[in-house]
Amino acid sequence: MELEKFDIKALVAEVARKLKEEERKGASLSSMEKELERKDKGIFEDPSEAVEAAFTTQKKFFEMSLSDRKRITDAIKGHLKKYVRELSVLAVEETGMGNVEDKVIKNTVAIDKTPSTEDLRAGVFTGDDGLTLLELSPFGVIGAITPSTNPTETVICNSIGMLAAGNAVVFSPHPGAYHASNRAVELINEAIAMAGGPKHLVVSIDHPTLKKSEVVMGHKKINLLCATGGPGLVKAVLSSGKKAIGAGAGNPPVLVDATANIEKAAKDIVDGASFDHNLPCIAEKEAIVVDEVFDYLVFNMKKHGAYEITDPQMIQKLVRLLVPEKWKPNKEFIGKSAKVILKAVGIEAPEDTRLIIMETEKDHPFVIEELMMPVLPLVRVKDAKEGIDLAVKVEHGFRHTAICHSRDIEVLTEMGHRIQTTIFVKNGPSFAGIGVGGEGYTTFTIAGPTGEGLTSASTFTRKRRCALVGGFTIR
């Protein structure tokens, strides 16, 4: 009887063991199936595998025509339009920064105003020695590092431009925004498939880390790096030994002189500085105002949702909250609303509050540092000349963005000449400089540090010459 009992127990134990083993196999198979499904959508855990996949696909893509590239980028634009709000909500929920309605505007303009193959213009030289053709060719595989401030917009904009140029792209998204970024990549791959394009033209890294980004940056099959982010990131890509495009920080000043349309300038400045809670690097970060119109500008700004703080102790309290370490903004409040920031210092602001303003000295931390918060310091100057001098100084030579409100053509000309920024907006909100209410194409990779400026499809190409000697001149 004892032996019989033992055998039954052993049998039960063996059956249980086999069942658990099957469960483990099933779970493992399910995990593998999920990973394969993610790869089909362009999302890879292994950065090296992502680069290899993009490299293989780019070779096929290179043999396709310009009309094929146009068809694919048009399909991306058409498909993504249906998901603009989803992507905007995802970005806000994941990062805790910005607001949905402004991200809808940013995603929409990235779709509608990012140039495709029409940006690729060939050139020709003819003369006594024959004919030389100048063509634009792709780099191959581009490694693109994207930010948390404009995550989906940058993925959309970069994908359209880089594919139009004939490249494949491997994204290494910001760890704080990779769910939203990778959802954009999935949707882009859906569109490419619908247009009959090859798989893995656009791929991205899942669960990104610094180590994974370093793998992408150092991979021998990455021919060009494109980084959108802070100074540290730009420095890293410039130290990679590869050709690099770096879109770095800005600290855009806005100058208002005595000739400006003050009522319009007030609205434009509030609109620009509060846009997506001041996250865009193009947004007004400090206002420099001629004394003659200073008070009237403030009066009008308050009509449009600006909340003025005049108590020096309260301003200092705000400084301790937002810049606890000198020159280092408190990340907890980057991209947060004006109401949230005011509540943190004990102020219950009106519901329509969009921007916090206060008068400061020219060397105040809020003036010198790019906060990326809806907090705008206002500095008095005696005249436009002093204002231009200060604007040039506080822009720090980033050559990013500047804004000027004036009806004096000499002031507008002098400031534009002196400040040498990539974007210079005259008599409008800052976002007019990227095509929102202003003419021209858009970009979310504004390469000041490396000099390319407003990037587009042609930025992601190599210029090649093909010379026919002694022929094909018909003069």
Side-chain angles (χ1 to χ4, degrees), residues 10 13 27 57 94-95 196 224 242 269 317 389 394 398 405 410 440:
T57 299
E94 183 177 10
T95 66
L224 170 69
K242 297 179 184 290
I269 293 168
K317 189 175 181 180
D389 288 344
V394 299
F398 291 150
H405 292 270
E410 291 185 6

Side-chain angles (χ1 to χ4, degrees), residues 139-403:
F139 278 93
V141 183
I142 299 175
I145 301 169
T146 57
S148 59
T149 49
N150 308 301
T152 55
E153 306 93 319
T154 306
V155 167
I156 293 166
C157 183
N158 281 356
S159 294
I160 293 167
M162 291 169 182
L163 295 190
N167 303 286
V169 54
V170 180
F171 284 109
S172 181
H174 191 286
Y178 79 92
H179 292 290
S181 302
N182 286 352
R183 177 59 177 154
V185 169
E186 289 177 0
L187 292 169
I188 288 166
N189 279 293
E190 286 178 12
I192 292 170
M194 288 188 286
K199 190 187 295 185
H200 298 147
L201 266 180
V202 177
V203 298
S204 187
I205 309 304
D206 219 2
H207 305 101
T209 61
L210 177 60
K211 188 174 181 180
K212 287 184 179 182
S213 289
E214 288 172 347
V215 170
V216 173
M217 288 193 287
H219 201 289
K220 64 181 180 180
K221 290 180 179 175
I222 292 288
N223 305 104
L224 170 69
L225 291 171
C226 180
T228 309
L233 176 60
V234 173
K235 185 178 179 182
V237 297
L238 291 177
S239 303
S240 68
K242 297 179 184 290
K243 162 72 177 171
I245 294 170
N251 194 42
V254 52
L255 172 66
V256 182
D257 81 355
T259 71
N261 179 337
I262 300 302
E263 293 87 350
K264 181 178 184 299
K267 183 180 185 305
D268 287 346
I269 293 168
V270 173
D271 287 347
S274 66
F275 187 62
D276 206 23
H277 299 333
N278 202 256
L279 279 177
C281 289
I282 59 161
E284 293 86 343
K285 304 297 190 224
E286 60 279 333
I288 300 164
V289 187
V290 170
D291 180 65
E292 184 180 335
V293 295
F294 188 98
D295 295 333
Y296 189 52
L297 180 75
V298 170
F299 171 76
N300 280 279
M301 290 179 77
K302 288 159 76 172
K303 285 184 181 179
H304 296 287
Y307 185 96
E308 185 185 17
I309 298 178
T310 57
D311 181 355
Q313 290 185 336
M314 185 56 73
I315 294 172
Q316 193 54 38
K317 189 175 181 180
L318 204 59
V319 171
R320 288 195 298 270
L321 177 73
L322 303 182
V323 194
E325 293 181 58
K326 198 173 184 183
W327 320 129
K328 289 185 179 179
N330 185 345
K331 291 182 179 180
E332 184 182 341
F333 291 97
I334 289 176
K336 294 295 190 291
S337 72
K339 284 197 69 182
V340 166
I341 293 170
L342 288 170
K343 190 172 183 178
V345 291
I347 297 174
E348 287 294 336
E351 194 59 39
D352 63 351
T353 299
R354 297 194 286 155
L355 183 68
I356 304 164
I357 61 174
M358 73 289 295
E359 184 175 356
T360 71
E361 295 300 318
K362 62 185 178 182
D363 57 354
H364 193 276
F366 290 174
V367 175
I368 303 302
E369 181 59 50
E370 183 188 35
L371 298 181
M372 291 193 290
M373 305 171 197
V375 176
L376 188 73
L378 310 175
V379 181
R380 284 182 196 258
V381 290
K382 65 181 179 182
D383 55 28
K385 181 183 180 305
E386 184 184 345
I388 293 171
D389 288 344
L390 181 58
V392 171
K393 181 179 179 181
V394 299
E395 202 275 328
H396 302 310
F398 291 150
R399 298 190 173 188
H400 199 291
T401 300
I403 307 97

Side-chain angles (χ1 to χ4, degrees), residues 49-62 141 168 198-201 221:
E49 194 177 352
V51 175
E52 292 291 345
F55 178 80
T56 300
T57 299
Q58 197 275 331
K59 295 298 180 188
K60 301 173 189 173
F61 191 47
F62 182 69
V141 183
K199 190 187 295 185
H200 298 147
L201 266 180
K221 290 180 179 175

